[in-house]
Amino acid sequence: MNNVVMPKPCKVLDVVRETEMEYTFKVETDIAPEHGQFIQLSIPKIGEAPISVSSYGEGWVEFTIRSVGKVTNKIFELKRGDTLFLRGAYGKGWPVDKFKDKNMVIIAGGTGVAPIRSMVNKFYDEEGYVKSVNVIIGFKNEKSVIFKKDLDKWSKKFNTIYCLDNEEKEGFNKGFVTEYIKDIPFKSFGDNYETVIVGPPNMMKFAAEECMRNGVSQEKIWVSFERKMSCAVGKCGHCRIDETYVCLEGPVFNYVKAKDLID
């Protein structure tokens, strides 16, 4: 009988330093996640942490992790060939089947790029899967930019707007992502579009409101509500908001429900 909460030891295949605070770990595993799901990463006697999958392929997954606490700090000490324990994948990911043949608008901030990375690469690799892709991605400053190779690649095929909060650099606009939502041609899409927003809670809230001011219906907005998980199987109640268990019903929610999920 398969134990859904039993971690399995997996080998670290590679470690890539994205920024001073974010590393990407490629791990060998037979877990086959969906775009937008998360996996519980653990180190014995230290603890575990829920981390979104930033990429995956046959026999491996990648996690882009920010060092912010006891578990992630310890994971940052791992090197190629070391062991990391995984369990999952958990939660509901992006409704990629629903996105087929749509005009996609994707808005992300900071490490919020990680949960959308594999999906955007699917749109890049599978020509014609979606009708068009408009991307707005913001970072605090140049030092916090992650996935630089992906950003360059996406800009060659998609309509991309990259911005830094308070800096002017070549290839980036200055300002917040919300300032550039008005530049997305929503009216030209008719009813054939969907919008994805990922980032800090306030960023998602203000970006969703700005989208709606530009004529986007809340039914066409999707967010990843990345609250801290614990058991990941709806037993401990750690991620519960009112009657909603985020680990089971999310982390991806339509904004019709997400707008009422207030801590």
Side-chain angles (χ1 to χ4, degrees):
M1 183 176 179
N2 183 40
N3 187 339
V4 296
V5 294
M6 178 67 72
K8 295 181 180 180
C10 301
K11 184 170 70 173
V12 176
L13 299 175
D14 198 13
V15 181
V16 175
R17 179 175 177 172
E18 301 282 351
T19 71
E20 185 176 332
M21 294 291 292
E22 287 107 357
Y23 286 16
T24 293
F25 292 80
K26 186 175 185 178
V27 182
E28 185 177 44
T29 179
D30 59 1
I31 295 173
E34 298 175 5
H35 304 287
Q37 285 190 304
F38 69 96
I39 291 176
Q40 291 280 1
L41 278 56
S42 61
I43 296 178
K45 299 182 181 180
I46 301 297
E48 67 177 2
I51 305 293
S52 295
V53 175
S54 61
S55 187
Y56 63 88
E58 187 68 34
W60 59 270
V61 296
E62 283 186 352
F63 309 94
T64 300
I65 303 172
R66 173 180 276 265
S67 181
V68 292
K70 181 175 67 173
V71 178
T72 52
N73 290 347
K74 198 67 177 179
I75 291 174
F76 266 44
E77 297 177 8
L78 299 179
K79 299 177 179 61
R80 187 181 301 176
D82 287 344
T83 298
L84 182 61
F85 285 77
L86 273 58
R87 64 178 177 94
Y90 298 114
K92 293 182 180 178
W94 304 111
V96 176
D97 290 343
K98 184 180 180 66
F99 295 163
K100 186 173 175 59
D101 298 322
K102 299 290 181 65
N103 294 283
M104 293 301 304
V105 177
I106 299 171
I107 305 166
T111 53
V113 183
I116 58 96
R117 180 190 179 208
S118 66
M119 180 174 65
V120 178
N121 277 328
K122 173 184 174 68
F123 298 157
Y124 184 93
D125 294 333
E126 298 184 27
E127 191 77 35
Y129 187 87
V130 294
K131 192 173 180 64
S132 70
V133 180
N134 290 263
V135 178
I136 305 176
I137 293 176
F139 300 97
K140 184 177 181 180
N141 51 45
E142 185 181 21
K143 292 181 179 179
S144 64
V145 175
I146 59 176
F147 307 135
K148 294 177 182 178
K149 290 182 179 179
D150 290 282
L151 298 182
D152 290 342
K153 180 177 72 173
W154 297 342
S155 67
K156 291 177 172 62
K157 184 178 286 190
F158 304 144
N159 176 29
T160 58
I161 300 173
Y162 303 142
C163 50
L164 305 176
D165 290 354
N166 296 297
E167 289 184 3
E168 293 182 356
K169 295 290 181 182
E170 184 178 355
F172 291 88
N173 294 318
K174 182 179 178 180
F176 299 111
V177 295
T178 49
E179 298 174 40
Y180 300 97
I181 291 173
K182 66 181 185 305
D183 297 328
I184 302 297
F186 287 109
K187 291 182 179 179
S188 70
F189 302 152
D191 196 47
N192 188 38
Y193 70 95
E194 299 289 341
T195 305
V196 167
I197 304 173
V198 191
N202 281 339
M203 171 265 176
M204 291 194 293
K205 177 179 182 292
F206 292 126
E209 290 175 352
E210 185 63 25
C211 284
M212 289 186 286
R213 274 193 288 271
N214 282 269
V216 178
S217 64
Q218 60 183 5
E219 293 84 1
K220 291 187 172 294
I221 298 174
W222 302 84
V223 299
S224 182
F225 209 90
E226 295 187 346
R227 277 178 53 86
K228 184 179 179 182
M229 315 292 178
S230 186
C231 72
V233 293
K235 298 299 182 183
C236 72
H238 196 268
C239 68
R240 181 180 171 188
I241 304 176
D242 294 328
E243 301 305 315
T244 299
Y245 288 82
V246 176
C247 68
L248 297 180
E249 297 185 46
V252 172
F253 290 94
N254 186 269
Y255 198 66
V256 171
K257 179 157 190 172
K259 71 180 190 297
D260 295 323
L261 294 178
I262 302 172
D263 290 335

